[in-house]
Amino acid sequence: MPIRLTERWPEVGPDRLLSECVPPPRFAPVRFETYRPDPAEPSQTEALAALVARGEELAKPRPQKSWWRRKSVPAGLPGIYLDGGFGVGKTHLLASLWHVASGPKMYCTFVELTNLVGALGMRAAVEALARYRVICVDEFELDDPGDTVLISRLLNQLVEAGVQLAATSNTLPDKLGEGRFQAVDFLREIQGLAGHFEVRRIDGPDYRHRGVPVAPEPWTDDQVELAAGNRPNASCDHFVDLYRHLGELHPSKYGAFLDGVETVGITDVRELTDENIALRLVVLADRMYDRDIPVLTSGVPLDRMFSPAMLKGGYRKKYLRALSRLIALSRTGMDNIGID
């Protein structure tokens, strides 16, 4: 019998959240040497050179602060920010930077960072994170006013403590928040965040979809159930049951939710129109992609899971990223698992 994710209720404490702040398994082996810039996209070679140079600096031991000296921000820009589309290697470069940096160091997604602050509280989060030499934040996005103020306060205090920052996103720092809320009310915070980063733009097509522009043809419900039942440590859940269950869990638990799962089966995928449900599935897609978990689905093709209105709205980039990742995982799942 396949695992039912809808029967799982993981508990995750702050210690685990901190201990898991490392590159996910998919990016554990990557290095600068394994990044392959597209010759047709010079910005990729330029970004690689910039990250290698930054990595050489971060590989040096962290300077010790004298107790009688006031804290000061290090000379030069404290952070580097990689902006670009999906699948151009931003996360590969960010993880490579983390690997070469001397410790203590931290790697997390933006969502994991906000969840961590929520779990620890601002004061405890600053105390814990100020010990790091460098903090790498993947998929840096500000989706609501609360997150804008929260992360602005956090990063300002960490920069003052001498922490180096590196981040990736699909939106330039001074454009964060546009199209999602009344950005004019939070322009000061957004511009303050932008000032923490040197921007490096990376252009190019999504490597995950070169030659694979659309989602694979879905299987039937019976085929997904059968394949999941025949695979070790595979789960299988109805789409509606799954997203309802996700609504009862904090997103910080979605990683633990997948502990021990090697294949995810989802039957009767449907087009979504509810933004809250869709955003929960975006987080789940990120956690599955981090762990390189193949996906098997029935119902509508994955590229139709988010409604046309959603793909034109303020969270468009999040949904497109999720589709990019889910389709890649679906290709892996359906190519590697045959149907009897």
Side-chain angles (χ1 to χ4, degrees):
M1 285 290 294
I3 298 166
R4 300 297 179 188
L5 294 176
T6 49
E7 297 175 358
R8 291 188 161 197
W9 298 90
E11 292 296 329
V12 182
D15 289 343
R16 173 166 176 172
L17 292 177
L18 280 171
S19 69
E20 291 182 340
C21 289
V22 298
R26 174 181 284 270
F27 294 100
V30 303
R31 297 296 186 274
F32 289 130
E33 294 78 10
T34 61
Y35 182 74
R36 298 290 180 262
D38 186 339
E41 301 291 347
S43 62
Q44 296 184 12
T45 300
E46 293 167 3
L48 174 61
L51 267 291
V52 169
R54 184 63 61 96
E56 290 173 351
E57 290 298 316
L58 290 174
K60 300 174 184 177
R62 185 179 188 177
Q64 297 296 316
K65 297 175 183 173
S66 299
W67 64 268
W68 64 85
R69 294 180 182 173
R70 295 179 60 189
K71 295 179 182 177
S72 61
V73 179
L77 290 170
I80 190 163
Y81 179 99
L82 301 178
D83 175 75
F86 310 103
V88 295
K90 302 188 304 295
T91 301
H92 185 134
L93 290 173
L94 186 71
S96 298
L97 180 68
W98 184 91
H99 284 301
V100 301
S102 64
K105 53 190 177 179
M106 174 180 172
Y107 182 105
C108 62
T109 66
F110 180 80
V111 171
E112 288 169 334
L113 182 60
T114 57
N115 290 339
L116 183 63
V117 176
L120 297 178
M122 178 60 74
R123 176 178 294 182
V126 171
E127 291 177 357
L129 303 187
R131 297 195 295 264
Y132 290 99
R133 171 80 185 281
V134 60
I135 295 178
C136 299
V137 184
D138 198 22
E139 298 297 347
F140 198 103
E141 296 182 10
L142 298 177
D143 300 317
D144 61 57
D147 282 350
T148 302
V149 175
L150 181 77
I151 298 305
S152 177
R153 286 179 57 203
L154 176 70
L155 294 187
N156 280 322
Q157 293 183 63
L158 294 179
V159 169
E160 289 175 1
V163 178
Q164 297 280 304
L165 305 175
T168 74
S169 186
N170 302 306
T171 308
L172 290 169
D174 61 351
K175 302 298 183 183
L176 289 170
E178 283 192 3
R180 295 184 177 91
F181 55 87
Q182 294 299 318
V184 65
D185 295 335
F186 296 88
L187 188 58
R188 184 172 303 169
E189 278 77 7
I190 293 170
Q191 290 179 334
L193 290 176
H196 292 321
F197 297 98
E198 170 195 352
V199 176
R200 285 282 172 174
R201 173 76 188 181
I202 306 180
D203 298 307
D206 185 339
Y207 81 90
R208 290 184 294 266
H209 286 177
R210 290 171 188 167
V212 187
V214 295
E217 191 68 23
W219 288 0
T220 67
D221 291 355
D222 289 343
Q223 287 171 333
V224 173
E225 286 275 3
L226 178 62
N230 290 334
R231 296 288 297 177
N233 302 315
S235 70
C236 190
D237 295 271
H238 189 278
F239 185 63
V240 174
D241 294 338
L242 180 60
Y243 72 59
R244 286 176 177 170
H245 189 61
L246 291 177
E248 298 178 348
L249 297 174
H250 191 275
S252 65
K253 299 180 179 181
Y254 288 8
F257 186 59
L258 296 167
D259 282 353
V261 177
E262 297 178 13
T263 304
V264 169
I266 305 174
T267 59
D268 195 19
V269 173
R270 304 176 183 183
E271 182 181 284
L272 296 172
T273 56
D274 186 299
E275 208 92 71
N276 291 321
I277 293 172
L279 290 172
R280 292 184 196 114
L281 286 166
V282 167
V283 177
L284 182 65
D286 286 342
R287 299 292 80 76
M288 291 192 294
Y289 186 76
D290 289 346
R291 291 157 177 77
D292 204 13
I293 300 176
V295 175
L296 309 173
T297 64
S298 64
V300 302
L302 288 172
D303 53 12
R304 287 169 43 199
M305 186 172 75
F306 301 116
S307 70
M310 287 181 172
L311 295 179
K312 295 178 181 177
Y315 295 105
R316 173 177 179 271
K317 291 183 177 180
K318 279 195 171 186
Y319 297 143
L320 290 175
R321 184 187 77 232
L323 289 180
S324 174
R325 293 180 167 186
L326 285 172
I327 289 171
L329 296 176
S330 179
R331 284 288 182 187
T332 300
M334 294 185 175
D335 287 347
N336 294 346
I337 303 174
I339 305 174
D340 294 332

